[in-house]
Amino acid sequence: GGHWLTPYGIWIVDHGSPVIIGVRRPFPIGEELIPEHQTGISIYGSSLIGTSELGYSLSLSNGRGPIDNYQELDKNKAVTGRLWVTNESPLGNISLGFTTYRGRYTDRITRFVVASSGAVGNEYITRNRYDELSLAGDVRWVWHDLILQSELIRRETAIDDRFRAATLPLPGLPPGFAPDFRTTAYYVMAAYRLPWLNLMPFFGY
């Protein structure tokens, strides 16, 4: 319980050397299509079955928001689930994982008001709200000094119609509103550790 790194993919779950091969985050991780950190509770575990290890994690949190580190601005908890398997064999270490995240983003402001009766208090005004669903998959193969890894994330965002922003009209077209949207991003990376000076050239896309 508390504030923790979201358990998804390769880069976030295993965020130390030698997994961090490049000098900067891959695009899907930097865009936070799944929140990097969350505040709430999380359970996780794993079990050995022969030469394979099966694991899971399940989390309940404040989700994404402007002050989600210590408070949520709606009563909708976010859920994150992950399943993964790792196998050791003469062909190397092969890992597969799947993660899903479901949550609601809410942004609001607080305004000090004075009623006609003279009573004073706070008024809460919601400025933005949308629901999001993210699905992610990851794969990694380690064979001796060779490492191949990839992550794919797909995020769907549905804006609450009450807070859907108007868009600027184009010439000859009527004004519209901001649409729901879908984002898909991935990266692939290959690296090989040389027997000299502990060097590891890598390629990433």
Side-chain angles (χ1 to χ4, degrees), residues 30-67:
E31 288 296 293
E32 290 200 40
L33 302 183
I34 295 177
E36 179 177 337
H37 299 88
Q38 296 186 61
T39 298
I41 58 174
S42 180
I43 60 173
Y44 58 91
S46 64
S47 178
L48 291 173
I49 302 177
T51 59
S52 298
E53 183 179 10
L54 301 177
Y56 73 93
S57 65
L58 183 63
S59 307
L60 191 68
S61 76
N62 290 343
R64 199 192 303 263
I67 54 173

Side-chain angles (χ1 to χ4, degrees), residues 53-112:
E53 183 179 10
L54 301 177
Y56 73 93
S57 65
L58 183 63
S59 307
L60 191 68
S61 76
N62 290 343
R64 199 192 303 263
I67 54 173
D68 56 71
N69 287 356
Y70 57 89
Q71 184 182 359
E72 68 165 340
L73 300 180
D74 55 50
K75 297 182 179 180
N76 187 284
K77 293 296 183 183
V79 177
T80 307
R82 173 169 172 79
L83 295 174
W84 56 269
V85 58
T86 298
N87 177 261
E88 290 273 5
S89 73
L91 298 177
N93 180 293
I94 300 175
S95 302
L96 297 172
F98 175 77
T99 307
T100 180
Y101 168 83
R102 177 74 177 183
R104 172 175 294 169
Y105 174 93
T106 298
D107 185 15
R108 75 183 187 192
I109 59 174
T110 303
R111 187 169 62 181
F112 181 77

Side-chain angles (χ1 to χ4, degrees), residues 111-124:
R111 187 169 62 181
F112 181 77
V113 296
V114 179
S116 56
S117 62
V120 297
N122 292 327
E123 180 183 22
Y124 301 103

